[in-house]
Amino acid sequence: MTLGNFGNIYSDELITATELNRQPGRVLDKALERPVTITRNDQSFALLRREEVTFLVKAATQSKAVFEALTVAFSLLLGKEIGFEHPYGWLSAFEKDDLQDFIKELSEAFRLIDSSTTAWEIIDALIHEWHESAIAYSSPELAAAFSAETDEVPLTVPSPLSAV
């Protein structure tokens, strides 16, 4: 399911609460096809399939995370200090070129939302991978290991096996 499918979420059928009470099966059948609005006095209730509601909640939650990550990345590009205690403070481990790459990758992944059923998983994976990279960049142990000089031992040519 994509967000594009919800473009007409409020062009649904209006059903009164009385009609729902009289014909619940018919109303539920309609809700299988598209959202239904049930009205009672001055109140309105949306009737959607559970999968659609789950998708909408995930979309809202993930959109907030994408917005927050992009806001932090842009703030860092502008020279603002972001502490590591911030949920996306780990982005401060990157240089400006890396931040621009992060912004580009995350924006491109977010654009897939309307055309891909796996867009949210792609976004989750992308943020996770960048976060892991930030941890690696920030690790003094890894920095020491990469900068340590190694005692290289040249390989020797193996001797041919003698016949027994």
Side-chain angles (χ1 to χ4, degrees):
M1 176 160 308
T2 63
L3 285 178
N5 294 347
F6 289 101
N8 296 325
I9 195 165
Y10 289 108
S11 63
D12 55 350
E13 188 162 346
L14 295 175
I15 304 286
T16 64
T18 303
E19 187 177 353
L20 173 64
N21 289 333
R22 288 182 183 155
Q23 300 176 338
R26 189 178 70 78
V27 173
L28 290 175
D29 288 342
K30 286 182 181 188
L32 282 173
E33 297 171 20
R34 64 180 176 274
V36 173
T37 298
I38 301 164
T39 59
R40 180 181 70 185
N41 300 328
D42 291 336
Q43 300 171 321
S44 297
F45 303 90
L47 180 59
L48 298 152
R49 293 180 54 205
R50 187 161 197 75
E51 298 85 22
E52 293 172 350
V53 173
T54 300
F55 179 82
L56 288 172
V57 169
K58 184 168 185 166
T61 303
Q62 290 293 88
S63 295
K64 181 180 174 188
V66 168
F67 178 78
E68 187 68 24
L70 290 173
T71 299
V72 169
F74 279 117
S75 296
L76 290 167
L77 281 176
L78 294 173
K80 185 175 178 184
E81 301 257 342
I82 306 288
F84 276 96
E85 69 280 353
H86 188 282
Y88 293 97
W90 49 266
L91 284 168
S92 60
F94 296 108
E95 301 291 327
K96 288 189 176 198
D97 288 346
D98 293 327
L99 288 171
Q100 290 172 342
D101 289 342
F102 173 76
I103 290 167
K104 181 181 177 217
E105 287 180 32
L106 191 55
S107 298
E108 287 172 356
F110 191 71
R111 281 189 207 103
L112 294 174
I113 301 275
D114 281 338
S115 61
S116 172
T117 58
T118 61
W120 294 121
E121 289 78 13
I122 292 169
I123 289 170
D124 285 340
L126 192 142
I127 291 174
H128 176 76
E129 289 169 15
W130 276 88
H131 188 202
E132 293 293 315
S133 295
I135 291 169
Y137 286 159
S138 303
S139 169
E141 292 84 9
L142 284 176
F146 284 123
S147 64
E149 299 218 4
T150 58
D151 294 332
E152 292 184 21
V153 177
L155 295 175
T156 58
V157 178
S159 61
L161 293 174
S162 56
V164 177

